[in-house]
Amino acid sequence: MKKFLEEFKAFALKGNVMDMAIGVLIGAAFGNIVTAFTDDFINPIIAAIGGAEVHGMTEIGNTGSYILWGNFITAVINFLIMAMCVFIMMKGVNALLSIGKKKEEEKPAEPPKEEVLLTEIRDLLKEQAKK
């Protein structure tokens, strides 16, 4: 049991697991922000433009059951907003990462030590041949 707990501790405290946990928490908070934005801003704009009620529902027969199509539309809008935000953030991160790579690529690559030594030997042999 002690070995199991030690393995679990090593797994739980790895950087990847902690990063993932932080990402899930931030994602949940971001999801709440997007939901509030959709409910409080987007849905009223859609209702004002189209005159449609985004929180609509349709009764199925006379059973008292309803299809909540407005909730589905809201979920789709939330998804699209979150996907766009993640896409924009990833483009920004990729742009920042590529700036550092371009600077590294611009530096001329140093030749291997063997090539430098062989070049020096060749130059010495040419000088000796001239004398």
Side-chain angles (χ1 to χ4, degrees), residues 21 96 114 122:
L96 288 175
E114 294 86 11
R122 182 197 65 202

Side-chain angles (χ1 to χ4, degrees), residues 78-90:
N78 285 346
F79 170 77
L80 292 174
I81 292 170
M82 288 182 68
M84 182 61 75
C85 290
V86 169
F87 175 73
I88 290 169
M89 287 186 334
M90 288 308 300

Side-chain angles (χ1 to χ4, degrees), residues 55-67:
H55 295 288
M57 63 177 121
T58 304
E59 186 174 6
I60 303 173
N62 291 327
T63 62
S65 298
Y66 294 92
I67 296 175

Side-chain angles (χ1 to χ4, degrees), residues 5-121:
L5 290 175
E6 288 175 7
E7 289 178 11
F8 177 75
K9 179 181 173 185
F11 167 77
L13 296 180
K14 279 186 180 177
N16 294 343
V17 175
M18 296 303 287
D19 291 344
M20 185 177 66
I22 291 168
V24 168
L25 292 174
I26 290 173
F30 186 67
N32 291 336
I33 291 170
V34 170
T35 301
F37 177 71
T38 304
D39 290 341
D40 298 336
F41 289 97
I42 302 295
N43 288 348
I45 291 171
I46 291 173
I49 292 172
E53 185 179 319
V54 180
H55 295 288
M57 63 177 121
T58 304
E59 186 174 6
I60 303 173
N62 291 327
T63 62
S65 298
Y66 294 92
I67 296 175
L68 303 174
W69 55 268
N71 289 347
F72 176 74
I73 291 173
T74 301
V76 169
I77 292 170
N78 285 346
F79 170 77
L80 292 174
I81 292 170
M82 288 182 68
M84 182 61 75
C85 290
V86 169
F87 175 73
I88 290 169
M89 287 186 334
M90 288 308 300
K91 291 217 27 114
V93 168
N94 288 339
L96 288 175
L97 291 176
S98 68
I99 290 171
K101 288 182 181 178
K102 287 180 184 175
K103 289 181 180 177
E104 291 176 5
E105 291 174 1
E106 290 174 2
K107 295 179 183 176
E110 294 183 21
K113 290 182 181 180
E114 294 86 11
E115 187 176 329
V116 172
L117 291 174
L118 289 172
T119 304
E120 289 176 2
I121 292 170

